[in-house]
Amino acid sequence: MKLVYIDESEQAGKLYLFGGLVVDEEQCRSISDRMNGLASRVLKDYPDLCSKVGSAYDLEFHAANLAQGKSYWHSVDRSYRIEAIYLELIKILRDEKVEYYLNGINIPFLERLYQNPYPPRDLALAHLLGTVQKEVEGNLIALADDHYTKKNSRLQIESLRHYSSKAYCRDPLDHYLDTVFFGDLMSSRLIQASDMVTYLYSRRWNPVTNRFDREETKEWYEKMMRKLLESTSQITAGKSVYPYY
């Protein structure tokens, strides 16, 4: 049995992405332990963070905040955030030989093709689950970051487990033992790991506009983002955006 840890990213009516990190039980335990170990090292190097987050288990690796220095990451040196944390997190995933899948919906193209298209979020999630089922052997359990539409999503996926839909997926999602389970990003190291990868692909198609004090700072930052994406590509088993760009 494999676990699929899912994270999503929406780009202001342009693009809806879902990424899935596929792991077995041993990989799940190892990645979680190594991420907790990294969190402990961060608090050792930046002890002032303890007053803001508490213990290492409470330190959240949220991709956007980490990459852009938001929230309590603002007090952490930018090179440390990117090189000692973000790159190390991607290295952990590479070391553990995980597989990552990405599916997305190009919303403007979808609206041009269909007069009354299905909701982009539902389509992207169904496409991801279908792709993983096609490529990964055995039974699956899907766990996703919490979302206000989770009730509708659960009902939709439960239906697709029993019946195929030409629009959503060609075959029933019958390798999944249950509907999608939703949990808090802060409570799951593996959902955080999926978020770290999905953010990089989201940023690739819709670059984030940051404020930089100096031009060389911007050049360094963009160089590191390219390095992270290149490293991420080594664990990416498949990616697709529909309709194609």
Side-chain angles (χ1 to χ4, degrees), residues 142-157:
L143 306 100
D145 190 15
D146 207 359
H147 194 272
Y148 70 92
T149 63
K150 60 185 177 183
K151 181 178 181 180
N152 290 336
S153 294
R154 279 196 296 260
L155 292 172
Q156 178 69 45
I157 299 306

Side-chain angles (χ1 to χ4, degrees), residues 61-63 66 86 89-90 192-200:
F61 295 114
H62 186 282
L66 182 63
Y86 213 137
L89 286 166
I90 301 300
Q192 291 173 29
S194 184
D195 172 60
M196 303 298 286
V197 183
T198 304
Y199 172 80
L200 294 171

Side-chain angles (χ1 to χ4, degrees), residues 15-19 100-106 123-125 127-128 131 201 204-205 236-245:
L15 185 68
Y16 215 117
L17 296 176
F18 269 94
Y100 174 84
Y101 295 86
L102 181 81
N103 283 81
I105 298 296
N106 181 332
L123 283 174
L125 178 57
H127 286 188
L128 172 68
T131 297
Y201 280 108
R204 171 189 176 188
W205 280 302
T236 302
K239 58 181 185 291
S240 173
V241 174
Y242 175 86
Y244 187 70
Y245 271 95

Side-chain angles (χ1 to χ4, degrees), residues 101-148:
Y101 295 86
L102 181 81
N103 283 81
I105 298 296
N106 181 332
I107 298 173
F109 279 26
L110 182 73
E111 292 174 344
R112 291 177 205 165
L113 284 176
Y114 302 100
Q115 186 175 1
N116 296 300
Y118 287 100
R121 183 179 186 276
D122 292 348
L123 283 174
L125 178 57
H127 286 188
L128 172 68
L129 296 175
T131 297
V132 173
Q133 175 173 278
K134 180 180 178 181
E135 300 297 331
V136 179
E137 294 184 2
N139 292 324
L140 301 160
I141 290 182
L143 306 100
D145 190 15
D146 207 359
H147 194 272
Y148 70 92

Side-chain angles (χ1 to χ4, degrees), residues 1-2 4 22 132-133 136 138-142 175-178:
M1 183 183 71
K2 296 291 182 68
V4 188
V22 181
V132 173
Q133 175 173 278
V136 179
N139 292 324
L140 301 160
I141 290 182
H175 291 194
Y176 291 87
L177 298 180
D178 208 331

